[in-house]
Amino acid sequence: MDGRLLSLIIPVYYEEEVLEASFLRMDAAMRATGHPYEIIYVNDGSRDGTMKILRRLAKENKQVKVRSFSRNFGHQLAVTCGMDAAKGEALIIIDVDLQDPPELIPQMVERWKNGADIVYGKRVKREGESIFKKVTAACYYRLLSWMSAYPIPLDTGDFRLIDRKVADCFLKMREHSRFLRGMSAWMGFEQEAIEYVRQERAAGKTKYTLKKMLKLAMDGITGFSAKPLTLAGKLGIGLCALSGLGLVALIVLACTCGVAPWLWAVDGLALLQGLTLCFMGIQGMYLGRIYDEVKGRPLYIVAEELNLE
Ligand code: UDP
Ligand code: MG
């Protein structure tokens, strides 16, 4: 029998309506893996009955552990806090609202035992979400994957299993603006997908307001792509090239049939603007390098070593 401990990490924010039903399904799914397990709830500053229910669950079930924030720090930090507390050999991250079916956990654990370091859930369909959410999510994931310097799998959320060695690398990254699925992609390792249909929320409303969603979307792009910083430079080069060609054309015209004086002014202005954008692009390159240093990510990640102990 495989006695390795599993840790299930669940962030909760104003979830009194769904918490108890959710616990029953999560607990049953973890039991079905046949492994010893702990369930770590992180209360992200809820002020409703969430903590009361969590206190009771922790009292009645030894495997339930709880950390409670002093205020709302956000989903990504709540997950990180749960990962900091986890003692398992594999960590599983899941939302409390049962949109990601906990019944997939035993399959994820099987894949892990067969050698996968990260097993992530890939949504093939979303049930019960607004057209707005479906369309914006689909567009965003595609934009992100085009912008990102690292391949971030399409249509994946934070529902995933990660091996202890991956979690240890992950927890060394202490950047404040966190985008877990991007960080997970950045690390590499053996990653496998499990496809599933994302369900409707079991109860309650989404806690991801438009503002929170936009922040997460921006964290994803700014944390994993330098493209926005290089945009000014590219535009500048284009503008300089165009106005340079324009200048040649103006000189030729001036020598033959003459040109209106305002055309010189327009071309001169475009050239100057192009130069300004080029210098902004150069500043962007330095800024990008400073940002990389400040993030303080590991220089490299070793997945395996032979004869080096
Ligand atoms: N959540 C959190 N802090 C927040 C917002 C959400 O811990 O500030 C939790 C929430 O309780 C849930 C998970 O993060 O377990 C995902 O949130 P939600 O289901 O509302 O997002 P959606 O699935 O609608 O994107
Ligand atoms: Mg949800």
Side-chain angles (χ1 to χ4, degrees), residues 56-105:
R56 190 169 49 68
L57 288 178
K59 202 166 156 203
E60 291 168 3
N61 305 278
K62 273 225 138 24
Q63 72 276 29
V64 171
K65 299 172 183 178
V66 179
R67 278 184 138 182
S68 182
F69 281 166
S70 58
R71 64 164 171 84
N72 179 238
F73 281 89
H75 172 229
Q76 303 284 300
L77 291 179
V79 171
T80 306
C81 168
M83 290 175 71
D84 279 330
K87 298 209 165 58
E89 287 306 312
L91 281 57
I92 303 143
I93 298 158
I94 193 167
D95 292 349
V96 72
D97 58 5
L98 300 170
Q99 281 196 279
D100 310 317
E103 291 70 26
L104 281 180
I105 293 173

Side-chain angles (χ1 to χ4, degrees), residues 10-15 42 44 72 74-75 78 94-97 99 129 133 198 201 205-208 212-213:
I10 313 177
V12 278
Y13 184 53
Y14 285 88
E15 301 284 11
V42 181
D44 186 11
N72 179 238
H75 172 229
I94 193 167
D95 292 349
V96 72
D97 58 5
Q99 281 196 279
E129 280 183 313
K133 178 117 186 184
R198 189 158 216 238
R201 217 175 206 283
K205 283 204 215 76
T206 176
K207 306 300 173 310
Y208 255 98
K212 280 187 178 170
M213 230 157 69

Side-chain angles (χ1 to χ4, degrees), residues 167-228:
D168 284 344
C169 296
F170 182 88
L171 291 172
K172 278 192 200 134
M173 297 192 233
R174 302 312 285 186
E175 55 208 70
H176 283 226
S177 297
R178 299 173 83 76
F179 184 66
L180 304 186
R181 58 204 91 158
M183 291 161 77
S184 181
W186 180 86
M187 286 190 299
F189 290 103
E190 290 299 320
Q191 310 212 5
E192 284 184 20
I194 283 195
E195 296 194 338
Y196 72 104
V197 177
R198 189 158 216 238
Q199 305 297 319
E200 206 170 329
R201 217 175 206 283
K205 283 204 215 76
T206 176
K207 306 300 173 310
Y208 255 98
T209 54
L210 189 60
K211 195 171 148 204
K212 280 187 178 170
M213 230 157 69
L214 282 176
K215 177 171 182 322
L216 184 68
M218 285 316 290
D219 284 347
I221 290 176
T222 51
F224 294 90
S225 172
K227 276 199 177 132

Side-chain angles (χ1 to χ4, degrees), residues 86-199:
K87 298 209 165 58
E89 287 306 312
L91 281 57
I92 303 143
I93 298 158
I94 193 167
D95 292 349
V96 72
D97 58 5
L98 300 170
Q99 281 196 279
D100 310 317
E103 291 70 26
L104 281 180
I105 293 173
Q107 275 183 51
M108 289 178 143
V109 172
E110 274 315 305
R111 300 273 195 110
W112 168 63
K113 286 184 180 166
N114 290 335
D117 296 314
I118 299 179
V119 186
Y120 59 84
K122 186 172 164 57
R123 303 154 180 177
V124 284
K125 199 166 164 232
R126 289 162 167 259
E127 303 274 5
E129 280 183 313
S130 65
I131 299 279
F132 175 75
K133 178 117 186 184
K134 283 184 192 169
V135 171
T136 47
C139 294
Y140 174 69
Y141 286 128
R142 274 140 196 92
L143 174 74
L144 182 66
S145 111
W146 172 72
M147 281 197 138
S148 169
Y150 321 97
I152 298 181
L154 294 174
D155 304 317
T156 61
D158 292 326
F159 178 38
R160 61 190 56 229
L161 175 150
I162 57 181
D163 182 78
R164 165 53 60 192
K165 67 171 182 283
V166 182
D168 284 344
C169 296
F170 182 88
L171 291 172
K172 278 192 200 134
M173 297 192 233
R174 302 312 285 186
E175 55 208 70
H176 283 226
S177 297
R178 299 173 83 76
F179 184 66
L180 304 186
R181 58 204 91 158
M183 291 161 77
S184 181
W186 180 86
M187 286 190 299
F189 290 103
E190 290 299 320
Q191 310 212 5
E192 284 184 20
I194 283 195
E195 296 194 338
Y196 72 104
V197 177
R198 189 158 216 238
Q199 305 297 319

